[in-house]
Amino acid sequence: MTRFSELMAKQTLLPIIQAQSTKQGVQIAQAMADAGLTLVEVVLRTEASLAALTAIKQEVPQLKVGAGTVIDARILNQALQAGADFIVTPATSKTLLTELASCGVPVLPGVSNTGDILLAYEHGYSEMKLFPASLSGGVPFLQAVSSVFRSVRFCPTGGVNQQNMQDYLSLSNVFAVGGTWVAPAKWVEQGNWQAITAACYQALNRQGAEMTHSVT
């Protein structure tokens, strides 16, 4: 099975797409792809999410597209049928981890405390999502657990933004950060796709002469 970090390659941002329609999902994804991203997560929090995931895979084929907010077997099966390239969960349980074991795609299980980390570790995972990161101890928590769970690496999500992302990425046990700050609801409602592209460029540390759009 491909490790989640291998799927991300050198991308250190896991951008989150929350779409209210299929078209909106494709537009957000295209804006992210225009910034050079190769992998995005569609959170399954709206009625349009599954259709948006499938449409993004068809219309923005250069992207790997995963499903987030997977909390049970029913949602997992729906995500896989929609074509999800990977699965992200907000939390863990023995039941969910058992279901995930045979899903056939990379999984990033969500944890929020040491008990969760141990449970996921016992099920064979060494890469996990810390969620909600800012409410689960943030950088100090990750620093504290690094000597206990020495082989575990994290992708913090929840409360991560452009201002603090480097604080997380500087940690030896963090391989990426996730968040919605690169595609806030305001920009999506305005159809401000250039702002999303610019924010993704900034998050990837790729701003320079080639990037002339301003994020407003």
Side-chain angles (χ1 to χ4, degrees):
M1 176 68 69
T2 302
R3 290 166 64 88
F4 194 85
S5 59
E6 293 172 349
L7 192 68
M8 292 193 70
K10 295 182 179 180
Q11 183 174 311
T12 56
L13 170 67
L14 178 59
I16 295 172
I17 295 175
Q18 183 165 317
Q20 301 300 324
S21 69
T22 300
K23 180 179 179 180
Q24 190 180 81
V26 170
Q27 290 171 316
I28 298 169
Q30 185 61 63
M32 292 177 170
D34 288 344
L37 291 169
T38 61
L39 178 148
V40 299
E41 173 191 345
V42 177
V43 289
L44 306 184
R45 300 176 186 173
T46 70
E47 293 296 324
S49 297
L50 289 167
L53 191 159
T54 301
I56 292 168
K57 285 181 61 66
Q58 294 172 343
E59 299 187 38
V60 196
Q62 67 268 41
L63 289 178
K64 296 180 181 71
V65 188
T69 325
V70 174
I71 59 173
D72 57 36
R74 178 183 63 84
I75 298 174
L76 173 61
N77 290 330
Q78 289 176 336
L80 295 174
Q81 290 171 6
D85 294 312
F86 61 88
I87 298 295
V88 180
T89 79
T92 56
S93 72
K94 289 183 179 179
T95 299
L96 180 58
L97 288 168
T98 299
E99 294 289 345
L100 293 167
S102 59
C103 74
V105 298
V107 174
L108 190 66
V111 298
S112 62
N113 54 57
T114 53
D116 290 346
I117 296 171
L118 183 58
L119 178 61
Y121 182 76
E122 289 176 343
H123 280 77
Y125 293 98
S126 60
E127 296 179 342
M128 307 172 195
K129 164 185 171 179
L130 179 66
F131 177 81
S134 62
L135 299 179
S136 301
V139 169
F141 174 79
L142 290 169
Q143 290 173 322
V145 301
S146 63
S147 61
V148 179
F149 299 99
R150 290 177 289 179
S151 63
V152 178
R153 296 202 299 160
F154 299 89
C155 176
T157 303
V160 180
N161 53 49
Q162 183 66 32
Q163 286 68 47
N164 64 18
M165 64 177 289
Q166 197 55 46
D167 294 335
Y168 285 101
L169 290 173
S170 66
L171 301 177
S172 61
N173 59 345
V174 170
F175 67 91
V177 295
T180 59
W181 84 90
V182 292
K186 177 182 177 181
W187 293 349
V188 174
E189 292 167 2
Q190 294 172 342
N192 194 349
W193 315 123
Q194 290 184 341
I196 293 174
T197 300
C200 290
Y201 264 115
Q202 187 177 13
L204 291 171
N205 294 316
R206 292 181 58 179
Q207 278 192 312
E210 65 182 325
M211 193 63 222
T212 58
H213 302 304
S214 61
V215 181
T216 57

